[in-house]
Amino acid sequence: LTLHRTGSASQVRYANFSEAFGLTAAEHQIVQSMIEGLRAEGIAARNGGSVATVRSHIRSIYTKMHVSSREELFSRIQPFRIF
């Protein structure tokens, strides 16, 4: 079991959901950034990549996780939340 922090110690933590959904390391990082509230533009700026590449990763994430929105994605990872 791998734990990942999303910012400060007081914020929510999640078990490693990437393995369950077959996400790549880059996709995992994008989901983590989405959890922090960043949109594609902010994620691209943070990582020094293009918005088009980030959006491509997000489409791949949605496909792998069988979701079609940010809200569905967050709902899908809820079972991995560690209280």
Side-chain angles (χ1 to χ4, degrees), residues 23 41 66 82:
L23 302 182
E41 295 79 7
H66 304 286
I82 299 170

Side-chain angles (χ1 to χ4, degrees), residues 34-47:
M34 292 171 74
I35 291 168
E36 293 173 20
L38 292 177
R39 302 269 180 206
E41 295 79 7
I43 297 169
R46 173 192 274 181
N47 297 332

Side-chain angles (χ1 to χ4, degrees), residues 21-51:
F21 296 108
L23 302 182
T24 66
E27 291 167 343
H28 177 83
Q29 185 58 44
I30 287 173
V31 172
Q32 292 287 30
S33 295
M34 292 171 74
I35 291 168
E36 293 173 20
L38 292 177
R39 302 269 180 206
E41 295 79 7
I43 297 169
R46 173 192 274 181
N47 297 332
S50 74
V51 174

